[in-house]
């Protein structure tokens, strides 16, 4: 993986595209040769906009034989690898880290989408394994691909075993829960009217607790 570098203050404006410029290599096998690179401190044309202004803080990282990449925010793991598998997997993890809801329907839909993405990644990895030459079928690369396929298959199976069908609590049961929490005297007329005032709030609270529990189960599976 590439390492991100933080710059407190840009010394020059950094443009969105930059201009292709020539330079003479000062070292290495190409010493003395005229090469070209993209210089993002020089605008490509009049329409090139400033991406990072002079004085602003930013992050940059670079892969071997590739130009520098820039970001105003800390780059995420999915951006710092050239591995298609890892980039996809990290992106799935990042979606889970960013996702937030108290809705059971939204949570169930999200989990189904995550499972679909894992299935797609498993299938793509299996295809790479199947397409390897026979003489490499027992190579370390083949073993790694098989390990990834197995891990994804296990994760998908565990996700499928989680019950994501949310059932709302019966209203009468909700009233009893509220009565207990609010110390309402159920022997006194009108206690149900008092409980009514808290029903919607309690219903949302119970749903949010269910969603949190299920998402934590999902994270345990993915992050293990």
């Amino acid at each position: 993986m590439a390492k991100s570098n933080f710059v407190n203050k840009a010394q020059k404006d950094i443009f969105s595209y930059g201009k292709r410029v020539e330079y003479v290599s000062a070292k290495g096998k190409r010493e003395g040769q005229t090469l070209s690179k993209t210089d993002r401190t020089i605008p490509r044309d009049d329409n090139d906009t400033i991406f990072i202004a002079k004085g602003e803080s930013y992050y940059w990282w670079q892969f071997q034989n590739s130009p520098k990449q820039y970001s105003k925010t800390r780059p995420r793991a999915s951006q710092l690898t050239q591995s298609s598998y890892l980039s996809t997997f990290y992106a799935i993890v990042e979606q889970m880290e960013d996702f937030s809801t108290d809705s059971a329907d939204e949570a169930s839909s999200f989990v189904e989408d995550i499972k679909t993405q894992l299935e797609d990644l498993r299938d793509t990895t299996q295809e790479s394994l199947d397409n390897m030459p026979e003489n490499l079928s027992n190579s370390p690369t083949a073993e790694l691909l098989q390990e990834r396929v197995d891990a994804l298959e296990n994760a998908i199976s565990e996700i499928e075993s989680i019950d994501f069908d949310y059932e709302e609590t019966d209203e009468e049961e909700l009233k009893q829960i509220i009565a207990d929490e609010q110390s309402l005297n159920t022997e006194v007329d009108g206690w149900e009217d008092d409980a009514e005032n808290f029903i919607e709030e309690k219903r949302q609270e119970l749903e949010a607790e269910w969603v949190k529990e299920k998402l934590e189960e999902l994270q345990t599976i993915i992050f293990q």
Side-chain angles (χ1 to χ4, degrees):
M1 292 182 63
K3 176 185 177 182
S4 64
N5 301 273
F6 176 72
V7 177
N8 189 42
K9 291 184 179 181
Q11 299 301 306
K12 299 179 179 179
D13 290 335
I14 298 173
F15 292 85
S16 298
Y17 298 101
K19 186 175 182 179
R20 200 71 183 172
V21 297
E22 292 186 342
Y23 70 100
V24 177
S25 178
K27 59 182 179 179
K29 295 181 179 180
R30 297 185 176 183
E31 182 178 357
Q33 295 183 23
T34 300
L35 307 175
S36 65
K37 65 178 181 180
T38 298
D39 188 340
R40 290 188 53 184
T41 64
I42 303 173
R44 183 176 65 181
D45 51 38
D46 292 340
N47 296 319
D48 200 354
T49 57
I50 294 175
F51 178 59
I52 298 168
K54 180 180 179 180
E56 284 188 321
S57 60
Y58 68 94
Y59 293 86
W60 69 268
W61 64 99
Q62 186 175 26
F63 298 110
Q64 187 174 9
N65 300 321
S66 298
K68 283 184 178 180
Q69 300 187 55
Y70 300 87
S71 175
K72 293 181 180 180
T73 58
R74 182 185 297 276
R76 309 192 75 167
S78 59
Q79 297 173 276
L80 297 175
T81 178
Q82 289 181 300
S83 164
S84 176
Y85 173 87
L86 291 178
S87 179
T88 302
F89 182 77
Y90 290 152
I92 293 173
V93 171
E94 289 159 6
Q95 290 176 57
M96 293 173 55
E97 293 173 339
D98 295 341
F99 183 72
S100 177
T101 186
D102 290 332
S103 165
D105 287 341
E106 289 180 3
S108 296
S109 178
F110 174 75
V111 171
E112 186 61 32
D113 181 55
I114 290 295
K115 184 168 78 73
T116 298
Q117 292 184 58
L118 290 173
E119 290 171 337
D120 290 342
L121 182 56
R122 175 203 59 194
D123 294 344
T124 300
T125 308
Q126 182 66 60
E127 184 178 352
S128 296
L129 179 60
D130 293 341
N131 289 336
M132 290 192 71
E134 188 174 346
N135 63 319
L136 296 178
S137 60
N138 294 318
S139 66
T141 299
E143 292 178 1
L144 175 61
L145 290 174
Q146 186 61 63
E147 289 175 1
R148 288 174 172 175
V149 169
D150 292 343
L152 290 168
E153 191 62 57
N154 289 336
I156 293 165
S157 178
E158 289 187 47
I159 291 173
E160 291 174 338
S161 70
I162 301 176
D163 181 9
F164 283 101
D165 293 326
Y166 179 67
E167 294 185 8
E168 288 191 351
T169 306
D170 177 80
E171 186 166 322
E172 293 304 314
E173 186 178 348
L174 278 174
K175 289 180 181 179
Q176 190 58 56
I177 293 173
I178 293 168
D180 293 339
E181 291 181 349
Q182 300 293 327
S183 298
L184 301 178
N185 186 350
T186 58
E187 301 298 324
V188 177
D189 290 341
W191 77 270
E192 289 188 345
D193 293 334
D194 292 335
E196 284 279 359
N197 297 325
F198 300 96
I199 281 184
E200 187 57 36
E201 180 181 342
K202 175 53 65 175
R203 180 179 285 114
Q204 292 176 359
E205 179 184 326
L206 292 175
E207 182 175 354
E209 289 176 355
W210 181 90
V211 168
K212 180 181 179 181
E213 177 184 330
K214 296 302 178 180
L215 292 179
E216 286 177 349
E217 287 187 57
L218 177 64
Q219 291 177 347
T220 299
I221 292 170
I222 302 300
F223 296 159
Q224 64 185 355

